Amino acid sequence: MTALANPSPVVHEEIEGGGRTCQDKAAEHNEAVEDPIDAWEIFEIIRRIRDPEHPNTLEQLKVVEPSLITVDFSNGRKYVKVMFTPTVPLHCSLTALIGLSISLKLQRSLPQYTKIDVYVTPGTHDQEEQVNKQLNDKERVAAALENKNLLSVVESCMYDYEENC
Amino acid sequence: MSKLSLEHTLQGHKGRIWGVSWHPKGNAFASCGEDKTIRIWSLSGNTWTTKTILSDGHKRTIREISWSPCGQYLTSASFDGTTAIWSKTSGEFECIATLEGHENEVKSVSWSHSGSLLATCSRDKSVWIWELAGDDEFDCAAVLNSHTQDVKRVVWHPKKEILASASYDNTIKMYAENAADNDWYSTATLESHTSTVWSIDFDADGERLVSCSDDKTLKIWRAYPPGNEEGIFTPDNETVWKCVCTISGEHSRVIYDVSWCKKTGLIATACGDDAIRIFKEDANSQKNEPTFSMITSEDKAHLQDVNAVKWNPSQEGQLISCSDDGTIKLWKFIE
């Protein structure tokens, strides 16, 4: 790529207070403790995904926010919906890449058989409809993730900012 | 109260199972999935078991398989861009030909009723028609570029050499061969769905088509040939297909597959909300404004998205389904 899609993104402070310590995380992995999944927990999973073209996290760029996450783990349902806000309202492929990183990270982190919907925040992208359609076509996503180069790009976004708890 | 009664749950594939296909005799079926294998299952006693595993034909996900009408050939469409033809003439299944030409993932493969034509479609937006030229030879008879997006499914008419295709561009297209110059061309575009059309199926006579979509609806289309008694205008002297019924509000997520039983007229759907639903035409349904009612919903048919449903072509009321949960299920519809 010769030029950046967004040469100077606004970097925000990480959200404080709601953050959890390593001990809290360990408790969550304790099967004996009943702990329904909430929006904050979903946010914890995706907040440190790296932007494909900047050394910042999706949280720092306000691409993901807890208030734009919906969960329903009641009555046997397993449903998560994440809306993400692209940093610039252009560049389909980068936006799709961010969406794919969010989607794959959730798939790998959440309980089996969770339904995951990832959408662009309404009104924040010129090609919102196309991006949403592509991200939610599981056949095209499956085909894309069989491409080793693309998968390694997505995975590098997903895991660069992993904490070493 | 009608219901679906679960007869068998089968496992074997690793991961997501994309497709199942009944052998024309209805006593065997094939399945395929992301593990790049095809399994052929048959009934021995009261147990369905894998008889054969075909594992060396494709390098990527196998999206769909389809039997020839004679039951001698099995074809497989793969994300690796090829379609493989498997033959059992020597006793064991072997790959006798690999059809190449699509630029990327092949999504669907279908045999014409006579068994002399094969159609494939791809994410490259094209539909290809292949002619069986010799024992193991297939010639490309047409490359059709009418769709503007990824083509999801191709299905032949049950009695005529008419092909239907469904696409990510929200439309369905019909194709026929021009008798004068033997060129295949698109005869009709069926527009009404507001998102991806995932699957289509004809009724027994081929006068109607059912389609299912990412827009969570099911639509019934009727063919109006030139000179039809309803007086529907047929420009260019081509059969016009009109959407005569939309079934909405019954599916809560994308509908991935639909199967119209040639024996009973029942319609089954495979949905991303894990359910299988059965629809029946109402007794007082009108020809030009038919009505259908959902008569059964198996809400937790699978633990994850249902990817395909297929009615057994010879055993009335037997339905097969497969899912992202890695299982295949056989159901008996009880009226």
Side-chain angles (χ1 to χ4, degrees):
Chain A
M1 196 180 308
T2 48
L4 294 176
N6 181 5
S8 53
V10 183
V11 178
H12 300 263
E13 291 285 306
E14 290 194 11
I15 299 172
E16 305 215 4
R20 291 172 187 189
T21 63
C22 290
Q23 283 84 352
D24 291 337
K25 284 193 168 179
E28 260 169 19
H29 291 155
N30 182 350
E31 305 270 324
V33 182
E34 179 119 7
D35 175 35
I37 295 165
D38 56 20
W40 184 267
E41 203 166 330
I42 302 298
F43 181 66
E44 282 279 292
I45 295 169
I46 59 176
R47 65 193 293 187
R48 287 182 185 85
I49 294 173
R50 187 176 58 86
D51 182 86
E53 63 170 21
H54 294 292
N56 301 107
T57 64
L58 295 188
E59 176 187 14
Q60 289 169 334
L61 301 175
K62 261 200 191 283
V63 173
V64 294
E65 298 169 64
S67 63
L68 295 175
I69 296 169
T70 317
V71 298
D72 184 359
F73 280 80
S74 62
N75 299 321
R77 281 190 291 271
K78 291 179 187 172
Y79 178 68
V80 173
K81 179 181 169 184
V82 173
M83 290 200 285
F84 70 101
T85 313
T87 52
V88 281
L90 298 163
H91 300 280
C92 245
S93 58
L94 278 185
T95 309
L97 198 60
I98 294 172
L100 212 50
S101 306
I102 296 172
S103 183
L104 192 64
K105 182 109 201 233
L106 289 175
Q107 260 178 52
R108 291 186 179 176
S109 314
L110 290 172
Q112 218 181 0
Y113 310 138
T114 303
K115 303 274 181 200
I116 300 160
D117 287 334
V118 176
Y119 294 107
V120 172
T121 309
T124 62
H125 197 282
D126 290 355
Q127 284 142 336
E128 194 176 305
E129 210 176 310
Q130 288 99 303
V131 175
N132 285 340
K133 194 170 182 180
Q134 207 172 336
L135 277 176
N136 291 288
D137 182 324
K138 72 171 185 183
E139 186 187 70
R140 289 166 70 116
V141 168
L145 295 177
E146 281 186 358
N147 176 333
K148 289 198 173 63
N149 293 333
L150 180 72
L151 182 63
S152 75
V153 173
V154 172
E155 285 184 331
S156 75
C157 292
M158 279 163 57
Y159 295 117
D160 261 7
Y161 278 73
E162 267 322 298
E163 281 172 309
N164 299 313
C165 273
Chain B
M1 253 326 252
S2 54
K3 64 165 188 164
L4 277 179
S5 156
L6 180 64
E7 290 187 313
H8 302 278
T9 302
L10 310 173
Q11 278 171 312
H13 285 285
K14 285 198 185 77
R16 167 184 282 164
I17 304 176
W18 275 115
V20 280
S21 175
W22 283 107
H23 186 276
K25 286 197 182 124
N27 57 359
F29 67 87
S31 60
C32 66
E34 69 175 344
D35 67 3
K36 310 175 188 71
T37 70
I38 300 166
R39 282 176 174 256
I40 295 163
W41 305 76
S42 66
L43 193 60
S44 47
N46 189 37
T47 321
W48 285 92
T49 49
T50 299
K51 232 171 91 189
T52 312
I53 300 175
L54 308 174
S55 56
D56 49 0
H58 292 290
K59 293 183 186 72
R60 292 182 58 190
T61 283
I62 304 175
R63 177 63 181 88
E64 198 185 38
I65 62 267
S66 169
W67 293 91
S68 63
C70 65
Q72 279 299 318
Y73 299 102
L74 181 69
T75 45
S76 51
S78 167
F79 283 2
D80 69 12
T82 70
T83 306
I85 321 275
W86 307 81
S87 166
K88 213 192 146 183
T89 40
S90 67
E92 295 280 301
F93 276 95
E94 52 180 345
C95 182
I96 56 158
T98 303
L99 308 182
E100 293 176 359
H102 282 296
E103 282 169 34
N104 41 40
E105 299 99 76
V106 184
K107 298 291 180 71
S108 178
V109 56
S110 173
W111 289 84
S112 68
H113 70 101
S114 66
S116 62
L117 296 167
L118 197 65
T120 57
C121 65
S122 161
R123 199 169 75 99
D124 69 9
K125 307 172 188 175
S126 70
V127 171
W128 290 47
I129 293 173
W130 308 81
E131 236 162 13
L132 194 54
D135 271 352
D136 303 348
E137 260 184 73
F138 294 81
D139 290 343
C140 175
V143 176
L144 300 155
N145 290 303
S146 309
H147 282 295
T148 59
Q149 290 289 343
D150 186 359
V151 191
K152 298 295 197 185
R153 187 63 59 94
V154 277
V155 175
W156 286 95
H157 189 283
K159 293 177 172 173
K160 298 176 188 168
E161 291 195 336
I162 292 173
L163 180 70
S165 64
S167 167
Y168 188 87
D169 70 11
N170 307 353
T171 72
I172 300 156
K173 286 179 186 282
M174 296 285 173
Y175 311 87
E177 194 177 13
N178 186 329
D181 58 10
N182 292 337
D183 269 352
W184 285 85
Y185 67 108
S186 169
T187 61
T189 300
L190 288 60
E191 286 175 276
S192 184
H193 280 297
T194 56
S195 191
T196 303
V197 188
W198 278 97
S199 182
I200 44 183
D201 201 12
F202 287 96
D203 70 356
D205 297 326
E207 281 166 18
R208 295 191 291 180
L209 183 85
V210 62
S211 58
C212 65
S213 164
D214 179 51
D215 69 13
K216 306 183 182 74
T217 72
L218 210 56
K219 287 179 187 284
I220 310 287
W221 308 77
R222 171 169 277 283
Y224 293 95
N228 64 81
E229 61 184 32
E230 287 81 10
I232 305 281
F233 179 53
T234 54
D236 309 322
N237 219 28
E238 297 288 357
T239 294
V240 164
W241 291 78
K242 285 182 81 76
C243 177
V244 289
C245 174
T246 299
I247 300 164
S248 50
E250 303 284 15
H251 299 85
S252 66
R253 291 177 75 86
V254 37
I255 314 168
Y256 289 111
D257 197 19
V258 62
S259 177
W260 200 334
C261 183
K262 309 292 182 273
K263 291 180 108 54
T264 62
L266 294 171
I267 292 172
T269 61
C271 188
D273 64 9
D274 312 345
I276 296 173
R277 296 177 177 84
I278 309 291
F279 296 82
K280 187 183 183 183
E281 189 163 10
D282 297 336
N284 60 354
S285 178
Q286 305 290 309
K287 182 186 172 195
N288 298 307
E289 284 176 63
T291 52
F292 288 77
S293 299
M294 189 173 76
I295 52 168
T296 299
S297 172
E298 188 69 28
D299 291 339
K300 289 275 162 235
H302 285 275
L303 290 167
Q304 183 58 293
D305 296 6
V306 189
N307 290 324
V309 279
K310 297 282 179 277
W311 290 106
N312 188 317
S314 71
Q315 292 255 8
E316 207 167 287
Q318 189 174 42
L319 186 74
I320 191 171
S321 63
C322 65
S323 163
D324 279 356
D325 72 9
T327 66
I328 296 165
K329 292 188 177 183
L330 284 114
W331 309 83
K332 179 86 193 157
F333 175 77
I334 298 162
E335 186 88 59

